Amino acid sequence: QVQLVESGGGLVQPGGSLRLSCAASGSIRSIYDMGWYGQAPAKERELVASITSDGTTNYGSSVKGRFTISRDDAKNTVYLQMNSLQPEDTAVYYCHVDIGDSWGWRRGYWGQGTQVTVSS
């Protein structure tokens, strides 16, 4: 089995920063694309940022220049550095990781979600 554990959410004032982490563990053979999605109240889950296995990144238009996604393959971990946070960034953030397991199956896994609240 594969598990994703997220950490790093919380309450922050506008203009502040947070760093989210998502660590994968279990029967992992290979990790492919990794990403972060945000889901605000009463809205659909949408892509915030993604990173491929060769390091190519992609960002949602609202976070370009403020958020940075990175990965540490030695730790099976993806990070999201969130700077200049604004109230509209308030959401539950989910990591999504595309994993090939020890049995040769490849599928996407979701983290449990971590709440980010930006408020004064």
Side-chain angles (χ1 to χ4, degrees):
Q1 288 191 348
V2 174
Q3 289 184 327
L4 301 183
V5 178
E6 299 182 27
S7 61
L11 173 64
V12 63
Q13 292 187 341
S17 298
L18 285 174
R19 189 191 194 207
L20 307 183
S21 300
C22 172
S25 63
S27 303
I28 298 170
R29 174 183 293 179
S30 301
I31 293 182
Y32 303 96
D33 294 353
M34 309 178 87
W36 290 95
Y37 289 73
Q39 187 165 19
K43 293 189 177 180
E44 293 186 355
R45 193 174 300 185
E46 61 182 15
L47 177 69
V48 173
S50 65
I51 184 168
T52 65
S53 56
D54 66 0
T56 301
T57 58
N58 181 48
Y59 294 94
S61 57
S62 64
V63 306
K64 283 181 180 178
R66 300 188 298 122
F67 291 9
T68 302
I69 189 170
S70 61
R71 60 191 286 167
D72 184 337
D73 289 337
K75 297 181 179 180
N76 291 341
T77 299
V78 60
Y79 304 97
L80 185 68
Q81 179 66 43
M82 312 167 73
N83 297 331
S84 302
L85 283 160
Q86 300 302 318
E88 52 266 33
D89 296 318
T90 295
V92 178
Y93 286 78
Y94 298 89
C95 64
H96 182 270
V97 182
D98 191 15
I99 293 174
D101 64 23
S102 300
W103 293 274
W105 294 101
R106 178 174 175 174
R107 54 158 286 191
Y109 293 84
W110 289 97
Q112 81 277 13
T114 186
Q115 176 70 47
V116 171
T117 302
V118 185
S119 175
S120 55

